[in-house]
Amino acid sequence: MAVARTRCIALIGVTGHPVDVEADVGSGMAGLHLIGMLDTALSEARDRVRSAVVNSRYGWPDARITVSLFPASLPKRGSVFDLAIAVALLAAAGIVPRARVAEPFFLGELGLDGSVRPVRGVLPAVLAAAGAGADTVVVPVHNAAEAGLVPDVTVIPVANLGELVSRLRSDDPVAAPVPGGTRCAEPLHPGGGADGARSPSPGDPGEIVPDLGDVAGQPFARRALEVCAAGGHNFWMLGQPGTGKTMLAERLPALLPPLERDEALEVTAIHSIAGVLPMDRPLLTRPPFVAPHHTATVAAVIGGGSGMIRPGAVSLAHRGVLFMDEAPEYSGTVLDSLRQPLESGRVTVSRALGSITFPARFMLVLAANQCPCARPSGPDDPCRCAPAARRRYLARLSGPLLDRIDVKTTLYRSTRRELLADRRFIEPSRVVAERVLIARERAARRFEGRPWRCNAEMPTRALHADHRPSPKAMSPLLRCLDSGELSARGLDRVIRVAWTLADLGGRDRPGVEETNAALGLWLGEER
């Protein structure tokens, strides 16, 4: 018996690293020995692999079996290596040809009965395999649609170990390429799995999508929401309960354009690693909407974990919306931890074993009541909270955090007459989304050849060099800067909002009208 070799992928964050899995069946005390910087789940693979091989009706070698995962210095976690270990072992024992397992990548967890179970992170793993020059990847059946998103790779879905061994021992080709685009042993329907399921999008029959037309009585807030969608700006809403703060936030994703191909793959990879990718939606084509509970910890929001570091809410909301309702109820540490990813668009989680960086380019939407009691109040029944209690409650949102919010608005209770009158001016999400798309296309033409996708991503250097408004348009902003009403960071954010207003208005550059309106949105005033 000789050494057999195959390949797998180790995921560190959203990055995959090729791993050589070598098996040697030789003389010595019988047993299976795994080496190569393994975690607990991977160390337990010896029992899963043995039971899977025996229950698949293949003989277990009565010899010393050594399985090495190279490079040894690379941390390897999870059960994704089970299938590769079993295949390398069977090849070393002469049950399957060694030459046929040397080049493909094998991903999957083994059940004790030999079934191949789905695993997390298949999309980034297959992308890494393709980057390493792989032509063929073997994955569990339930992960086939996700793996099939990677072009120019032959995907072989398998349900159990016995089926895979039969394929490897047969004289027929392991997989037949499907003409055009992605290749797969079982052709996948466009945008979905072998059963024809596809990724739903707003407007699909059977899917309920919140519509902006449901919100009545808040014309200024609806306009502010449109501005945020067009420029990718952060949004803060302050108001009494029942004024529509949550309704507005939930309708923001419907105003955003669909994700581009590279964005969709990036977002899908993050959700796959986190284990929250729906089985019937292998590719996420709409901006995600994430709304953590106010009791969420820093690890849940930013990312972390004692063993395997996993992405948090800020990364799950990448290229989408992070909504924090009842924002003052969150821990101050959680709120302030958002400041760094809001600036850089990524978050680095450091642990004793190393550091992992996740993408975190999201739109932050905060909603807060005006006082801790959250009782509806009016002229006849005012709130009983003391002014000092209200100040302490809203002071939980720190100044540096609010300085990073581009658009602020206060929502007031609407009377019955206002609600009825406003219904004539309500527009559905579809109409507003068309204006948002046109504004984003104008910005994209302006940023052609640059890495920025919307006005909110424009860096400070470009903002004051090539995209600085005229001196006349800058005059109201500079007055506020001199008076201390506007910080230097706030000035940059107001200019970005002014560009968004110009894009929505079809103007080439923002003028005094746009800068005044942008200043009002930043200050929370209607101008």
Side-chain angles (χ1 to χ4, degrees):
M1 298 181 183
V3 175
R5 169 184 170 276
T6 188
R7 299 192 288 179
C8 192
I9 293 291
L11 286 175
I12 300 180
V14 292
T15 305
H17 301 268
V19 172
D20 291 338
V21 181
E22 298 173 330
D24 174 48
V25 178
S27 59
M29 185 176 294
L32 175 59
H33 305 274
L34 302 176
I35 56 176
M37 201 172 180
L38 320 175
D39 73 340
T40 303
L42 187 49
S43 298
E44 295 171 348
R46 58 171 59 91
D47 298 319
R48 292 193 299 270
V49 170
R50 178 185 176 91
S51 296
V53 170
V54 172
N55 290 325
S56 298
R57 303 295 188 267
Y58 300 108
W60 184 262
D62 187 16
R64 178 183 177 86
I65 305 169
T66 303
V67 178
S68 172
L69 281 71
F70 176 84
S73 59
L74 183 71
K76 304 164 192 73
R77 302 182 179 90
S79 57
V80 68
F81 296 91
D82 287 5
L83 189 59
I85 292 172
V87 168
L89 186 154
L90 292 172
I95 297 176
V96 298
R98 291 192 299 273
R100 301 199 68 179
V101 303
E103 293 303 323
F105 282 76
F106 295 85
L107 311 171
E109 176 183 334
L110 287 175
L112 300 183
D113 59 351
S115 60
V116 181
R117 296 174 175 172
V119 292
R120 298 181 179 188
V122 166
L123 176 58
V126 177
L127 286 170
D135 293 325
T136 305
V137 179
V138 179
V139 300
V141 167
H142 294 295
N143 292 128
E146 182 183 347
L149 297 172
V150 182
D152 302 324
V153 174
T154 299
V155 177
I156 307 174
V158 293
N160 54 71
L161 183 60
E163 174 191 342
L164 176 59
V165 172
S166 298
R167 284 178 180 264
L168 294 172
R169 296 170 70 175
S170 66
D171 295 331
D172 298 331
V174 175
V178 176
T182 301
R183 298 177 291 172
C184 183
E186 295 180 11
L188 302 179
H189 292 271
D195 58 354
R198 65 188 180 92
S199 177
S201 58
D204 283 353
E207 185 184 8
I208 300 176
V209 179
D211 195 278
L212 191 61
D214 301 332
V215 183
Q218 300 293 346
F220 184 74
R222 292 200 305 270
R223 173 61 175 172
L225 195 72
E226 179 181 346
V227 172
C228 291
H233 304 293
N234 302 320
F235 190 28
W236 181 39
M237 294 176 285
L238 179 68
Q240 297 182 23
T243 51
K245 301 186 295 294
T246 303
M247 288 183 67
L248 286 164
E250 290 175 344
R251 282 145 181 81
L252 179 55
L255 306 184
L256 299 175
L259 298 174
E260 297 181 3
R261 178 72 179 183
D262 59 333
E263 294 175 330
L265 289 174
E266 190 178 25
V267 171
T268 302
I270 297 171
H271 284 246
S272 177
I273 290 171
V276 296
L277 183 66
M279 284 292 184
D280 60 340
R281 297 177 63 187
L283 181 66
L284 301 179
T285 58
R286 298 295 308 175
F289 179 83
V290 180
H293 193 261
H294 65 261
T295 57
T297 62
V298 174
V301 174
I302 298 300
S306 56
M308 182 181 296
I309 299 178
R310 290 185 178 148
V314 295
S315 296
L316 294 175
H318 180 60
R319 300 296 178 190
V321 178
L322 176 65
F323 175 47
M324 305 185 78
D325 201 3
E326 309 295 343
E329 299 295 339
Y330 285 82
S331 163
T333 307
V334 170
L335 292 172
D336 286 335
S337 66
L338 298 173
R339 288 152 55 178
Q340 184 265 336
L342 282 174
E343 291 291 340
S344 64
R346 60 183 181 273
V347 59
T348 300
V349 182
S350 299
R351 294 293 183 268
L353 294 177
S355 300
I356 294 178
T357 299
F358 294 106
R361 179 74 63 183
F362 58 91
M363 294 173 57
L364 177 62
V365 179
L366 301 176
N369 293 315
Q370 294 172 319
C371 60
C373 74
R375 287 182 63 252
S377 58
D380 299 331
D381 186 19
C383 171
R384 295 181 178 86
C385 294
R390 297 185 188 181
R391 287 195 297 270
R392 283 195 303 269
Y393 180 71
L394 294 179
R396 297 178 186 177
L397 300 175
S398 65
L401 177 62
L402 291 180
D403 203 37
R404 291 169 168 84
I405 304 300
D406 308 311
V407 176
K408 308 175 184 73
T409 184
T410 301
L411 279 68
Y412 301 96
R413 283 188 168 275
S414 302
T415 64
R416 181 167 62 94
R417 180 175 296 178
E418 290 171 340
L419 290 172
L420 293 174
D422 188 49
R423 291 196 177 277
R424 294 179 299 168
F425 305 101
I426 292 177
E427 296 175 309
S429 296
R430 175 181 52 81
V431 175
V432 180
E434 290 176 358
R435 293 200 297 265
V436 169
L437 181 60
I438 293 172
R440 290 223 174 190
E441 288 175 348
R442 289 181 62 90
R445 288 192 296 269
R446 189 168 62 248
F447 299 147
E448 188 174 1
R450 311 285 182 88
W452 321 315
R453 298 174 186 264
C454 57
N455 290 319
E457 298 179 12
M458 205 186 325
T460 300
R461 178 178 295 181
L463 200 64
H464 292 283
D466 302 329
H467 300 88
R468 186 179 177 88
S470 65
K472 183 179 180 181
M474 288 290 295
S475 59
L477 308 185
L478 297 178
R479 285 196 298 270
C480 290
L481 183 66
D482 293 338
S483 67
E485 196 174 7
L486 193 64
S487 66
R489 183 194 295 117
L491 174 67
D492 293 346
R493 293 188 174 273
V494 171
I495 296 175
R496 294 186 183 104
V497 175
W499 272 106
T500 301
L501 292 171
D503 291 335
L504 285 169
R507 297 180 177 87
D508 293 333
R509 298 188 73 86
V512 176
E513 182 181 349
E514 284 76 28
T515 53
N516 259 320
L519 181 61
L521 289 171
W522 192 85
L523 295 173
E525 303 172 354
E526 297 187 28
R527 295 193 175 191

